[in-house]
Amino acid sequence: MAWATPQYTPQEVNAAGRALAKLDFPVNTIVGHDALNVINNWRSSHAYPLNTFQITLRNRARRIEQHVIIAQREKRLDSIHRKLVAKPTMRMTQMQDIAGCRAVFSELDDVYKLVNLYKSSHFDHKFRGEKDYIQNPKADGYRSYHLVYEYVGSGPGVPYSGLRVEIQVRTQVQHAWATAVEAVGIFTRQALKSNQGDAGWLRFFALMGTAISAIEGTPCVPGTSDDKGDLLAELQSLSRTLNAREMLRAYNTTLHTLGSAKDAKYFLVELDPDANSVTLHRYKAKESAAANIDYTMLESQIPDDSRRQVVLVSVADINALKRAYPNYFLDTAMFSRLVDRVLKGDFPDLCSPQAIADVH
């Protein structure tokens, strides 16, 4: 099986990160730049450890819930660039989410069952940190549980030792919120995921984060009201101003598929919102290196001022792909149903900002 291996020292990778942060974007303006070559090798080298982590995640999560959604992805180059610009002191080798895998559960209790399973079970890799954004939600409304590990390799895995992989564990409603933020960001040409863009939309998602927290019995999002009536009134007003319900229902896409469907492991997803189309390129497990080369090539072809996006992911099949990454299909159906429910006032009284739910 052909896997990319790291070809540059950490010092060279960090220098490439500093250079990338100083360059203009989109990627087609910098393709061929030495920094881009280094960073693309660094990113694609995470495929081997990421695959190992995803297998463990799948096995452990399915012991808890059979139909849990499992997915993995390598970070998009524009997201890497945006993070380096936002955090000038960050070294490229410190970025912990270049490679990430995710488990999405139906129930909140199952999130913590999996987290506790990781903490109580033997694992060959080094634990490097955790963030509980469910009990301590971000101010923008984001909620999920993050675990970070450093890969420890033996045999063919030795070249990958030291690379880090982030594991995200969340519920379906938390996932619906997060993917809707990305989808609306695509609709509106704004980096809402990075807390940039229209203040109304940013506030709408923070308020919806608190409403979802109330549904799950966890703490409110900082900076939002802990009074249900006040929260509902603000949400209803913002929804009218933004025309939010209509926008969330307005989009659908046409799906095109390329490559063999048999034994497909990797999916290179091209979203073109202006054409309302999604093109999938499918690759077998042994074609990981080719998938990463195509990933870089397609990123380099995105025109200036375009809403097109490309991402390389791995899931069990196409049906799982749409459930794991609805944002790349402009699918906000689940979140739209949540909005309809919340705007009717059909959610519990809110937790106080200081309350910590006992969900372990």
Side-chain angles (χ1 to χ4, degrees):
M1 183 181 297
W3 298 98
T5 56
Q7 300 296 313
Y8 302 93
T9 66
Q11 292 78 14
E12 290 173 317
V13 173
N14 290 328
R18 291 192 296 272
L20 179 67
K22 296 176 182 177
L23 295 172
D24 294 328
F25 227 66
V27 66
N28 66 318
T29 64
I30 59 174
V31 67
H33 193 284
D34 289 344
L36 184 62
N37 296 331
V38 174
I39 288 171
N40 278 333
N41 172 256
W42 178 252
R43 178 177 65 174
S44 60
S45 295
H46 284 72
Y48 183 94
L50 179 57
N51 185 62
T52 302
F53 276 74
Q54 181 264 137
I55 292 170
T56 301
L57 177 62
R58 185 181 302 277
N59 290 337
R60 290 183 172 182
R62 284 186 173 172
R63 287 160 56 183
I64 297 169
E65 181 187 322
Q66 183 61 35
H67 300 294
V68 62
I69 300 169
I70 303 293
Q72 68 182 56
R73 66 100 185 97
E74 294 173 22
K75 199 173 185 70
R76 299 198 322 271
L77 190 60
D78 63 325
S79 297
I80 293 172
H81 180 266
R82 195 159 49 240
K83 196 164 192 175
L84 290 170
V85 170
K87 299 180 178 180
T89 61
M90 172 177 281
R91 297 196 298 269
M92 188 71 201
T93 53
Q94 285 181 319
M95 198 175 292
Q96 304 191 77
D97 60 346
I98 292 290
C101 47
R102 176 183 297 153
V104 183
F105 288 102
S106 300
E107 302 295 334
L108 182 60
D109 283 350
D110 291 341
V111 169
Y112 286 96
K113 286 178 184 177
L114 181 65
V115 170
N116 291 333
L117 183 59
Y118 267 92
K119 290 182 175 182
S120 62
S121 302
H122 173 73
F123 199 37
D124 292 332
H125 308 285
K126 292 181 182 178
F127 176 70
R128 286 301 188 187
E130 63 187 313
K131 293 286 187 181
D132 186 350
Y133 293 119
I134 300 172
Q135 297 301 327
N136 303 282
K138 290 186 177 183
D140 61 4
Y142 177 82
R143 298 162 65 246
S144 184
Y145 203 112
H146 293 191
L147 298 163
V148 177
Y149 288 90
E150 181 180 306
Y151 182 80
V152 178
S154 60
V158 168
Y160 306 100
S161 290
L163 299 185
R164 297 188 180 190
V165 174
E166 181 181 80
I167 301 171
Q168 297 179 358
V169 194
R170 57 176 63 156
T171 64
Q172 290 180 8
V173 291
Q174 293 165 8
H175 188 56
W177 180 96
T179 53
V181 169
E182 293 196 48
V184 173
I186 294 168
F187 302 161
T188 60
R189 299 176 183 262
Q190 299 177 84
L192 298 179
K193 183 181 177 182
S194 301
N195 203 28
Q196 300 171 25
D198 182 79
W201 275 112
L202 293 172
R203 183 62 176 172
F204 178 81
F205 278 108
L207 296 170
M208 278 300 301
T210 284
I212 294 171
S213 296
I215 291 169
E216 294 193 317
T218 58
C220 297
V221 172
T224 62
S225 176
D226 60 349
D227 179 86
K228 178 179 176 177
D230 291 345
L231 183 92
L232 182 57
E234 189 177 359
L235 262 172
Q236 289 172 336
S237 175
L238 267 175
S239 179
R240 289 190 296 269
T241 300
L242 297 169
N243 206 24
R245 296 167 82 175
E246 290 72 16
M247 176 172 282
L248 289 166
R249 294 171 180 159
Y251 291 86
N252 53 63
T253 54
T254 300
L255 180 65
H256 308 281
T257 57
L258 301 172
S260 173
K262 185 178 180 181
D263 300 325
K265 177 173 177 61
Y266 295 101
F267 296 85
L268 191 53
V269 186
E270 286 186 86
L271 167 63
D272 186 346
D274 297 319
N276 280 352
S277 69
V278 176
T279 302
L280 297 184
H281 305 256
R282 297 176 288 199
Y283 303 84
K284 297 180 180 180
K286 65 182 180 181
E287 298 173 319
S288 166
N292 274 281
I293 291 171
D294 289 350
Y295 188 13
T296 301
M297 183 268 293
L298 288 170
E299 283 182 307
S300 73
Q301 295 175 349
I302 297 175
D304 292 358
D305 195 31
S306 172
R307 294 193 297 170
R308 280 176 55 195
Q309 292 197 10
V310 181
V311 67
L312 179 64
V313 302
S314 177
V315 291
D317 53 44
I318 287 179
N319 291 330
L321 175 63
K322 194 165 184 178
R323 290 190 297 141
Y325 296 98
N327 45 305
Y328 291 113
F329 296 83
L330 300 182
D331 179 1
T332 57
M334 185 174 184
F335 184 73
S336 182
R337 291 193 295 271
L338 277 168
V339 170
D340 287 345
R341 172 183 170 181
V342 168
L343 291 178
K344 293 175 184 175
D346 183 15
F347 62 98
D349 290 340
L350 306 180
C351 303
S352 72
Q354 293 78 29
I356 301 295
D358 182 14
V359 295
H360 297 264

